[in-house]
């Protein structure tokens, strides 16, 4: 019988023991199996993960019987630049912040091969909020550098859910605020429904991962730079204790979804926006547009609310909103704490092409001197 000890963590000198797991309060009897997996004979489909804000190829309505959706994800520790001349020692799934979106349908099985590259320094794992089982699979996926593990779970809940690294104790928040989180979308087999229960589809879908960063400064007020996650940990945790981020980003860098990297659409297209925040509450607003349909908490089993100006997403949660664009132009997609959007970086753009509709909005008079 395999036993995993509780979520306490002992910081030691070596890099591996520094992040090693200890689950002393929890015992997982994974050899005492009451119900066997029902995956035998199911079709296997390999999903190729892609960097956010894009989603992997998928069907909006499931075709045929449930499948085993299998994918591979590399854990990569790397330095990234989150703002001009501001660097962090990030911990990532597949090298991006957020990690890639995974897509499956209810009753599918998600089978992940998780690889902790041998060039990394710390133990990592993955906790799926979409899964059913203690610690979201975290206790079954602990891997040291140079190891890999395979986890499979049945998708029983429809919605959009966060996943993140959770290696125990203080290492849980440290890994999460170092960029190690992403999201998974579990679609109903018969597709998304509007507030009247009718099928709705989207022309495009974008995944936006909002990240709070806590970057230490030196005595001169300059942001510090470190050579590894371990070297920056003590200083970063002091900033984390303030609960005040130094930067907030959409998809890993201030301005990552602006300019040439802005999300795009055309007038008449329906876009599904998927937004996650693994650690901190946020509130989303599309300036000049609305949430035609908003699934609170990302739950697709619930009736979506309609015509929302702003929608809240709790820390540790992902949300979903759908909008059909009616006017061309540059739309700002923001965290509507505008201090956080404008001053800390939680903002992106949607560039929309098409013809202007004066019946919806018209500049009746151009700016001119007051008479």
């Amino acid at each position: 019988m395999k036993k995993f000890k509780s979520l306490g963590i002992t910081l030691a000198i070596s890099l591996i023991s520094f992040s090693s797991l200890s689950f002393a309060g929890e015992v997982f009897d994974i050899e005492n199996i009451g119900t066997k997996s029902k995956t035998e004979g199911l079709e296997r489909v390999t999903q190729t993960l892609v960097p956010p804000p894009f989603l992997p190829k998928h069907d909006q309505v499931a075709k045929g019987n449930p499948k085993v959706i299998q994918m591979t994800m590399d854990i990569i520790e790397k330095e990234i630049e989150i703002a001009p001349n501001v660097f962090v020692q990030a911990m990532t799934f597949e090298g991006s912040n957020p990690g890639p979106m995974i897509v499956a349908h209810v009753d599918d099985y998600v089978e992940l091969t998780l690889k902790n590259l041998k060039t990394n320094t710390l133990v990592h794992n993955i906790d799926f909020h979409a899964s059913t089982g203690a610690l979201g699979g975290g206790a079954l996926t602990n891997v040291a550098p140079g190891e890999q593990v395979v986890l499979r779970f049945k998708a029983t809940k429809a919605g959009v859910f966060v996943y993140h690294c959770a290696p125990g104790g203080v290492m849980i928040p440290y890994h999460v605020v170092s960029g190690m989180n992403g999201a998974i979308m579990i679609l109903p087999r018969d597709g998304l429904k509007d507030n009247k229960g009718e099928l709705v589809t989207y022309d495009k879908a974008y995944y936006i991962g909002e990240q709070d960063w806590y970057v230490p400064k030196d005595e001169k007020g300059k942001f510090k730079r470190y050579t590894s996650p371990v070297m920056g940990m003590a200083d970063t945790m002091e900033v984390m204790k303030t609960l005040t981020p130094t930067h907030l980003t959409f998809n890993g860098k201030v301005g990552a979804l602006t300019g040439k990297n802005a999300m795009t659409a055309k007038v008449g297209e329906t876009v599904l926006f998927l937004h996650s925040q693994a650690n901190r509450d946020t509130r989303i607003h599309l300036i000049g547009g609305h949430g035609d349909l908003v699934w609170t908490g990302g739950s697709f089993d619930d009736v979506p609310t309609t015509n929302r100006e702003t929608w809240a997403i709790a820390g540790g949660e992902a949300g979903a909103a759908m909008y059909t664009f009616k006017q061309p132009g540059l739309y700002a997609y923001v965290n509507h704490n505008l201090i956080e959007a404008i001053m800390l970086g939680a903002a992106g753009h949607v560039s929309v092409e098409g013809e202007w509709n004066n019946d919806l909005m018209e500049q009746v008079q151009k700016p001119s001197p007051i008479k």
Side-chain angles (χ1 to χ4, degrees):
M1 182 176 66
K2 297 183 180 179
K3 296 182 180 180
F4 297 86
K5 297 183 178 179
S6 77
L7 279 171
I9 189 163
T10 302
L11 300 180
I13 297 176
S14 77
L15 297 179
I16 301 304
S17 63
F18 184 68
S19 66
S20 64
L21 268 239
S22 177
F23 285 93
E26 298 286 348
V27 176
F28 294 88
D29 186 359
I30 60 175
E31 292 184 354
N32 184 19
I33 298 171
T35 302
K36 294 183 179 180
S37 171
K38 299 178 182 178
T39 58
E40 186 176 352
L42 294 185
E43 179 184 356
R44 286 182 165 268
V45 177
T46 298
Q47 185 165 104
T48 301
L49 302 179
V50 297
F54 305 106
L55 276 64
K57 183 179 178 181
H58 64 278
D59 296 314
Q60 296 186 40
V61 176
K63 296 178 180 178
N65 296 322
K67 300 173 176 60
V68 178
I69 311 298
Q70 57 189 26
M71 73 288 301
T72 298
M73 194 180 288
D74 289 348
I75 295 168
I76 303 172
E77 298 171 9
K78 60 185 287 190
E79 183 180 63
I80 64 174
E81 187 178 21
I82 62 169
N85 297 313
V86 181
F87 297 87
V88 298
Q89 286 291 331
M91 292 176 264
T92 73
F93 294 104
E94 282 291 289
S96 66
N97 171 253
M101 176 67 72
I102 297 169
V103 182
H105 291 86
V106 172
D107 290 335
D108 285 341
Y109 292 82
V110 177
E111 185 172 293
L112 171 68
T113 299
L114 185 67
K115 298 181 178 181
N116 190 353
L117 301 186
K118 64 180 180 181
T119 52
N120 294 334
T121 59
L122 298 173
V123 169
H124 298 285
N125 67 1
I126 192 164
D127 167 6
F128 280 105
H129 288 196
S131 68
T132 301
L135 301 173
L140 305 179
T141 55
N142 301 308
V143 278
E147 292 182 340
Q148 70 176 44
V149 66
V150 180
L151 177 76
R152 184 174 62 234
F153 69 90
K154 187 175 184 177
T156 60
K157 303 289 186 182
V160 193
F161 304 88
V162 163
Y163 64 77
H164 63 87
C165 188
V170 296
M171 297 302 278
I172 299 174
Y174 184 54
H175 284 223
V176 171
V177 303
S178 294
M180 205 164 182
N181 56 83
I184 178 171
M185 179 167 69
I186 308 298
L187 289 165
R189 296 200 69 77
D190 56 352
L192 297 178
K193 302 296 193 303
D194 65 13
N195 57 307
K196 298 178 181 179
E198 300 295 328
L199 177 68
V200 290
T201 60
Y202 44 90
D203 299 299
K204 289 185 174 181
Y206 291 112
Y207 170 39
I208 302 95
E210 185 171 344
Q211 181 69 54
D212 46 324
W213 303 96
Y214 302 81
V215 187
K217 293 182 179 180
D218 63 20
E219 62 279 359
K220 295 182 179 180
K222 183 179 179 181
F223 289 111
K224 290 185 176 182
R225 192 171 179 179
Y226 301 92
T227 56
S228 72
V230 170
M231 295 302 293
M233 182 176 177
D235 289 346
T236 302
M237 284 194 168
E238 289 304 308
V239 184
M240 289 163 57
K241 289 176 184 178
T242 69
L243 303 181
T244 304
T246 59
H247 301 79
L248 287 167
T249 61
F250 287 172
N251 290 21
K253 186 174 183 178
V254 173
L257 295 177
T258 63
K260 66 179 182 179
N261 295 319
M263 297 173 280
T264 63
K266 295 179 180 179
V267 170
E269 284 189 330
T270 297
V271 178
L272 179 66
F273 293 100
L274 307 168
H275 194 107
S276 68
Q277 224 301 4
N279 189 61
R280 198 169 177 272
D281 294 356
T282 187
R283 73 294 292 153
I284 302 306
H285 178 72
L286 179 66
I287 301 178
H290 301 87
D292 288 342
L293 299 171
V294 175
W295 288 270
T296 303
S299 176
F300 293 145
D301 283 338
D302 296 334
V303 176
T305 58
T306 63
N307 304 318
R308 297 288 297 277
E309 57 177 321
T310 300
W311 46 98
I313 296 173
E317 183 175 83
M322 185 177 285
Y323 181 63
T324 301
F325 285 91
K326 299 170 180 63
Q327 292 277 41
L330 190 66
Y331 291 70
Y333 177 99
V334 301
N335 171 335
H336 212 287
N337 178 328
L338 295 177
I339 299 167
E340 297 181 347
I342 306 304
M343 300 180 69
L344 298 187
H349 288 154
V350 185
S351 179
V352 181
E353 297 179 354
E355 294 184 346
W356 186 262
N357 183 344
N358 264 357
D359 191 47
L360 290 174
M361 180 181 286
E362 181 179 4
Q363 185 184 52
V364 178
Q365 177 183 314
K366 293 183 178 181
S368 61
I370 297 174
K371 297 180 180 179

